[in-house]
Amino acid sequence: MALSSHVPELGALELLLAVARLGSVGRAAAELGVSQPAASARIKGMERQIGLPLLDRSPTGSRPTEAGRLVVEWARQVVEAAQALDAGIDALRERRDAKLRVVASLTVAEYLMPGWLLGLSDASPGTAVTLRTANSAEVAGHVLAGDADLGFVEGSSTPPGLAGVVVAADRLVVVVAPGHPWARRRAPLTGAELAATPLVLREPGSGTREVLETALRPYGGAARPRMELASSTALKAAAMTGAGPVCLSELAVMEELATRRLVEVPLVEELDLRRPLRAVWPAGQRPGGPARELLGLTRQSVGRSPRSRAEAGTEKG
């Protein structure tokens, strides 16, 4: 049932309670941080709204009338109920803000997310984070379905239905075992050569696969893969055992390249295998709470290549 027009707003009731407790409109106004004329006007407006005088005013102060004493008692119950409601809402918000659900592509989850989540733990130690991994197409689906507060994808564009921002830069590299003929190759590999070679690749739907196929489209598209694997770890193992050339994130093979367990094959300059890494969320919404904090931490890496991040880490160590 709708309230009648005689029911004052909550702020007016709080002012009336302060006047009854302090015995003065002026003292009540000072406590609530409003001017005395504004407080007096508000009390008079409430009296007109109710249709009854609520205060007896005198040079020594103000005190409730007989009707005013009844309204003060009812007002106290209303304000106490409102305070309980306010406390309950705060508790619900704190409970929500203490949890963060993240879903990320394998590359981001394995090589970037640990550092970001460590920073979040330092900034908000009470936040409980759930991290799931999936390929980029599946990440987009989870975020759209509301199963995650924030997602991280690889690829050249933001998936439909989502908003996003670039949080890091990456590039794909072609690597082989040291004994592979391409390991001794000096001339850069052309797009036509790469397109004609069966590679060991990630599964369809992964950001890595999407970027490679887009880059090879002008050369007739990628050849049928020699093998499809679902993780960077499996791809690296396949390359090191001589299964064939592998295309994967530079982030994933920096250690293997540094120790010569794998060799990067040079590519012609026009073969662009760079890619942005994006944080994504439902279009029309803005990340809040821990999601906003995590997003702020990730954006500190914008514009830095994997190689420059590794060098910076080496210098600090």
Side-chain angles (χ1 to χ4, degrees):
M1 183 178 69
L3 296 175
S4 78
S5 60
H6 300 301
V7 178
E9 62 178 8
L10 191 61
L13 296 178
E14 288 182 304
L15 175 59
L16 179 63
L17 290 177
V19 173
R21 175 167 46 85
L22 298 172
S24 165
V25 174
R27 285 195 290 271
E31 181 178 85
L32 297 177
V34 298
S35 68
Q36 181 168 344
S40 295
R42 196 165 198 179
I43 292 291
K44 290 177 180 177
M46 182 166 46
E47 289 176 323
R48 287 194 299 270
Q49 182 180 7
I50 294 174
L52 294 168
L54 300 176
L55 295 177
D56 282 328
R57 297 163 177 85
S58 71
T60 58
S62 300
R63 62 180 184 176
T65 62
E66 184 177 349
R69 284 193 294 271
L70 289 173
V71 174
V72 164
E73 184 57 36
W74 297 329
R76 183 175 291 111
Q77 297 174 42
V78 171
V79 170
E80 287 174 353
Q83 290 169 341
L85 174 62
D86 189 27
I89 290 172
D90 281 346
L92 289 175
R93 289 175 62 88
E94 287 175 6
R95 188 184 307 169
R96 179 207 65 183
D97 291 347
K99 296 180 181 180
L100 175 62
R101 300 168 302 162
V102 179
V103 58
S105 69
L106 290 173
T107 299
V108 176
E110 290 181 9
Y111 302 103
L112 295 175
M113 193 60 68
W116 292 340
L117 292 183
L118 181 61
L120 181 64
S121 178
D122 290 341
S124 301
T127 300
V129 179
T130 301
L131 173 63
R132 286 191 293 174
T133 59
N135 66 39
S136 291
E138 293 168 341
V139 169
H142 285 306
V143 176
L144 285 170
D147 297 331
D149 304 305
L150 201 61
F152 292 87
V153 298
E154 311 154 13
S156 55
S157 60
T158 303
L162 299 178
V165 64
V166 173
V167 296
D170 185 24
R171 73 180 180 104
L172 303 183
V173 293
V174 176
V175 297
V176 294
H180 192 279
W182 281 4
R184 299 179 294 277
R185 182 185 178 110
R186 297 198 176 187
L189 196 66
T190 67
E193 289 176 300
L194 187 60
T197 303
L199 304 172
V200 180
L201 296 175
R202 283 285 307 278
E203 78 285 0
S206 73
T208 299
R209 182 75 170 265
E210 176 199 342
V211 170
L212 178 67
E213 291 179 342
T214 299
L216 295 182
R217 201 165 288 143
Y219 307 99
R224 183 176 180 180
R226 181 170 184 180
M227 195 182 302
E228 292 179 340
L229 300 172
S231 73
S232 297
T233 301
L235 288 172
K236 290 189 291 184
M240 286 188 283
T241 57
V246 170
C247 181
L248 76 173
S249 166
E250 182 183 22
L251 287 166
V253 291
M254 290 171 63
E255 181 181 345
E256 288 77 11
L257 294 177
T259 58
R260 297 290 297 176
R261 284 179 289 167
L262 289 173
V263 178
E264 181 180 349
V265 181
L267 305 176
V268 293
E269 288 187 7
E270 58 265 26
L271 196 58
D272 186 6
L273 295 182
R274 293 172 298 176
R275 62 177 179 174
L277 305 177
R278 286 182 172 82
V280 295
W281 56 89
Q285 300 180 20
R286 297 186 115 184
R292 183 177 62 249
E293 285 188 70
L294 178 60
L295 187 57
L297 291 169
T298 64
R299 298 199 66 185
Q300 295 174 11
S301 63
V302 173
R304 298 179 63 192
S305 70
R307 195 178 301 277
S308 69
R309 284 194 294 274
E311 292 168 353
T314 302
E315 290 167 3
K316 291 178 182 177

